[in-house]
Amino acid sequence: ADLFNLVGRDRKPPYRWFCIGPERSGSTVHIDPLGTAAWNSVTSGYKLWVLFEPAVARKLAKGKEFVKEGEDDEAIMYFDFILPRIREAHPDLRIYEVLQKPGDTIFVPGNWWHGVVNLADTVAVTQNYCGFDNFDMVWCKTRKDRKKLAVRWLASMQRFMPELYARARSLNQRDGFVMYNERQAGDASSSSDSSSSSSSTETSEDDEDIDFTGLRDSLQLRTWSHVNSCDPPGVHKATSPSPGRTARTSNGYANGHGRMNGHSNGHPHPPSNGVTQPAKRSRNDSA
């Protein structure tokens, strides 16, 4: 279940794409927006992935200091030249590489650096989501970076998923965070009331746009044990490969513990019969 469904299909951030790209196309190293996690399934072709843990500095993951004059910012350049230089300069750095074949699915946890290059003409489908497993991080980023969206999302939580609403409020209280529509003082008591009121009205008018598939059933299975940090999750070293080694797999998920296997606890498996809504198309492949 994607908790962003609560804001309505037409208002939720872009989340699902077809990735269609020729050999040597791809995307340079990046982090997906708002702390969302993602799955990517290849239907045709081959992808080579690289992933770095969230604690790795942006400058190091992107390898900017290793770019030489005349070299561009294309994915193929990164994999052929920049990545080997990073590995040589930092032999103890954990670098995860995955070869993805037709029928394979890779899971990318939120806040993990990742990039991909197509080794052949390739078609894939990918989706980003917010689930109970990554809600804390996604909520903290959304309330800061997408202020109006967060107000609407919170209003829908209050109406339809009060336990999730309580969770979001507890995170706000812990961090001393004031929502966009509550920030004014003075005029603000009326301003805040009117903002809350208009948000509530807008939500009620757009209820038909909300996709409740899996949301309420999932909530019954979820118990909030404590308020976690909004920072990226740590990595359990006991399950990580030895420093300097590269984890590889041709069929499985990359989970948040630095290992590759056939399962990803707490994360949804992608649909086996395709997507249920039209996916957005792009000529340039992205992860």
Side-chain angles (χ1 to χ4, degrees):
D2 185 355
L3 299 178
F4 267 130
N5 285 353
L6 287 170
V7 302
R9 293 185 184 92
D10 293 335
R11 287 178 172 81
K12 66 187 295 186
Y15 66 101
R16 182 186 290 146
W17 301 265
F18 279 121
C19 302
I20 304 172
E23 182 180 352
R24 297 171 64 86
S25 65
S27 65
T28 54
V29 172
H30 63 281
I31 290 176
D32 285 347
L34 301 179
T36 54
W39 54 261
N40 181 296
S41 295
V42 166
T43 61
S44 175
Y46 297 85
K47 289 179 179 289
L48 180 62
W49 290 75
V50 63
L51 299 98
F52 299 89
E53 297 169 7
V56 174
R58 173 190 177 93
K59 182 178 180 180
L60 177 55
K62 287 182 168 290
K64 294 295 186 182
E65 64 182 287
F66 300 104
V67 178
K68 297 182 178 180
E69 185 177 355
E71 295 179 341
D72 57 33
D73 194 28
E74 296 294 329
I76 189 66
M77 182 69 69
Y78 181 91
F79 278 84
D80 281 354
F81 298 100
I82 310 303
L83 186 57
R85 293 169 192 162
I86 294 174
R87 185 177 287 112
E88 181 180 3
H90 300 273
D92 292 335
L93 178 66
R94 289 189 179 92
I95 301 175
Y96 304 82
E97 282 189 272
V98 186
L99 176 62
Q100 187 182 18
K101 302 176 182 178
D104 287 350
T105 293
I106 184 171
F107 172 75
V108 182
N111 270 12
W112 275 63
W113 296 101
H114 58 283
V116 62
V117 65
N118 292 318
L119 303 182
D121 295 349
T122 303
V123 178
V125 62
T126 185
Q127 178 168 333
N128 288 67
Y129 76 94
C130 172
F132 292 105
D133 55 332
N134 62 344
F135 172 77
D136 290 2
M137 182 164 56
V138 174
W139 171 248
C140 292
K141 287 180 175 289
T142 302
R143 71 188 185 186
K144 175 178 178 291
D145 297 337
R146 298 290 302 275
K147 299 176 179 63
K148 293 183 179 180
L149 177 68
V151 169
R152 176 180 174 81
W153 195 15
L154 190 65
S156 290
M157 291 181 209
Q158 185 175 20
R159 296 190 67 214
F160 301 113
M161 301 183 74
E163 186 175 349
L164 192 64
Y165 171 80
R167 179 67 167 183
R169 281 297 189 187
S170 69
L171 290 169
N172 288 358
Q173 183 178 15
R174 182 202 65 183
D175 300 333
F177 187 88
V178 181
M179 295 294 293
Y180 170 80
N181 63 325
E182 299 169 348
R183 285 185 184 170
Q184 308 268 340
D187 286 339
S189 60
S190 61
S191 174
S192 177
D193 289 343
S194 64
S195 295
S196 299
S197 173
S198 66
S199 176
S200 178
T201 301
E202 182 184 10
T203 302
S204 64
E205 290 174 351
D206 297 333
D207 285 357
E208 293 182 359
D209 190 40
I210 297 176
D211 181 4
F212 291 101
T213 304
L215 290 178
R216 287 169 175 149
D217 291 341
S218 297
L219 187 59
Q220 294 176 2
L221 303 176
R222 179 69 186 186
T223 300
W224 302 117
S225 57
H226 60 283
V227 178
N228 293 321
S229 170
C230 291
D231 294 330
V235 176
H236 299 286
K237 295 183 179 179
T239 58
S240 299
S242 300
R245 296 185 59 188
T246 299
R248 295 177 180 271
T249 182
S250 61
N251 186 7
Y253 292 88
N255 66 26
H257 302 292
R259 63 187 178 201
M260 308 293 176
N261 56 30
H263 305 281
S264 64
N265 296 333
H267 302 295
H269 290 268
S272 59
N273 58 348
V275 297
T276 57
Q277 300 176 21
K280 298 182 180 180
R281 294 180 178 272
S282 172
R283 293 185 60 84
N284 294 323
D285 188 18
S286 63

